[in-house]
Amino acid sequence: MKYCGIALTPRRIVAALNGPTGVCDAFRVPRCRTARYNLLAAVSMGPCTLVMEGVSWREDAIGEVALTTGNDVWIAPAGLVAAIIATGGTTSSPERRAEILSRLPAQPWTRGYLRTMRRNGDDPRQQKLL
């Protein structure tokens, strides 16, 4: 299973793709509509799950685009990522943040903190907002 961590900068989307071997590849795309679709097309060559922070989910539409293209999206609390960065003593660059996000689902102790996002049609208890 592949996981893609998404971090945002004011003008770019930073994505880190973590494959089955554990190697992360980070790349940047502009925050425009076609770049989001191209990013998701490049990432979803096989089954892939996007992992992003709750703030990023509200700030950018890439999570919604991922849901419409059939990818799964998991939301991580910002406090968890900040605690991992502070504990590890690393920088909070967007590339490093995206890499940490891509590795969260692979760790059994962090999976309980992640929240799965679904399209409105996936859960019959949810109603579409107009």
Side-chain angles (χ1 to χ4, degrees):
M1 181 64 134
K2 291 189 304 185
Y3 299 104
C4 181
I6 301 289
L8 300 177
T9 66
R11 291 190 226 167
R12 305 247 184 243
I13 298 171
V14 179
L17 188 62
N18 187 4
T21 60
V23 177
C24 272
D25 297 322
F27 47 95
R28 294 174 171 240
V29 296
R31 287 176 76 171
C32 66
R33 183 177 173 88
T34 55
R36 287 183 188 97
Y37 280 103
N38 291 339
L39 170 67
L40 293 172
V43 165
S44 62
M45 293 290 192
C48 185
T49 301
L50 264 68
V51 184
M52 55 194 316
E53 293 180 76
V55 175
S56 300
W57 170 262
R58 292 184 297 273
E59 191 176 311
D60 194 77
I62 191 162
E64 292 290 333
V65 172
L67 289 176
T68 59
T69 57
N71 291 319
D72 294 332
V73 178
W74 290 0
I75 304 296
L80 175 66
V81 178
I84 291 172
I85 289 172
T87 304
T90 61
T91 61
S92 64
S93 68
E95 290 84 7
R96 183 67 180 146
R97 186 173 290 274
E99 182 181 341
I100 288 170
L101 285 166
S102 71
R103 292 174 192 250
L104 286 179
Q107 304 299 322
W109 65 274
T110 57
R111 275 192 175 224
Y113 294 103
L114 301 178
R115 184 172 44 115
T116 304
M117 297 305 289
R118 301 185 191 284
R119 290 175 288 182
N120 285 339
D122 289 348
D123 191 356
R125 296 173 294 171
Q126 293 183 356
Q127 296 180 2
K128 292 184 181 179
L129 298 175
L130 301 176

